[in-house]
Structures are given as C-alpha cells and as structure tokens.
Amino acid sequence: MTRTGADADGYAATLARMVELAERRPGYLGRRSATTDDGDELTIVFFTDDEALRAWHDDPEHRAAQHLARERWYERYQVHVARVERAYRFQR
C-alpha cells in the first residue's frame, strides 16, 4: 500500500484506533508491519480462522476507516488472504 501524502491529517490516529479494535477482536493473534525505503507499507494481521477474519473485515468502524483511507490516504493497495500451514522460527 502506498499513501498519497494528501490529507495526511488523521491517518496515524485512525491507524492506532484500528490496531486497538483489531487487538480486541475474538480470534486476533497479532500483526507485523514494515515500511520500505520508498514509503510502501506492508501489514500482516493474523487471525485464528476465516470466521474471525470476516468479522474483522465486516466491523462497521473498520469499514468506515477503509472508506476514509481510499478517499484520503491511499494511492493504491493490495489485500492477500492466506492460510498459514506451518510456521516456525529460530532465535538465539
């Protein structure tokens, strides 16, 4: 996703509110975010199952924020819905 930079007012507050809402949803497992050098952002949000993900997608406040983001902040974005079949990590 790339922000347009236009009308940036309110973006950070809206993002913080969406994180707060998502964290309270049943089935929420966590999220990871990164920003590239050229300003593209990547956010991965983990939910326990498709039902939990759909409930988050359909949350009225989240839907309103999506609409606002398309109108004010986003030049473009992509959404990928994927199932994690296996995950592991190593940490010393």
Side-chain angles (χ1 to χ4, degrees), residues 1-20 31 33-35 39-43 64-77:
M1 172 270 298
T2 299
R3 280 187 278 147
T4 64
D7 195 14
D9 288 342
Y11 181 80
T14 300
L15 176 60
R17 175 65 180 152
M18 292 305 102
V19 169
E20 178 187 345
R31 76 180 186 88
S33 295
T35 303
D40 281 354
E41 297 176 13
L42 169 68
T43 299
Q66 290 172 334
H67 179 75
L68 190 61
R70 285 190 297 272
E71 290 204 347
R72 287 189 182 179
W73 303 306
Y74 293 168
E75 178 180 308
R76 62 185 163 84
Y77 67 89

Side-chain angles (χ1 to χ4, degrees), residues 27-74:
Y28 174 85
L29 295 173
R31 76 180 186 88
R32 301 287 183 267
S33 295
T35 303
T36 64
D37 291 339
D38 61 357
D40 281 354
E41 297 176 13
L42 169 68
T43 299
I44 303 170
V45 183
F46 299 95
F47 287 92
T48 54
D49 54 32
D50 195 50
E51 182 179 342
L53 175 60
R54 286 182 193 276
W56 167 239
H57 177 269
D58 294 338
D59 179 275
E61 195 171 346
H62 182 217
R63 303 280 295 179
Q66 290 172 334
H67 179 75
L68 190 61
R70 285 190 297 272
E71 290 204 347
R72 287 189 182 179
W73 303 306
Y74 293 168

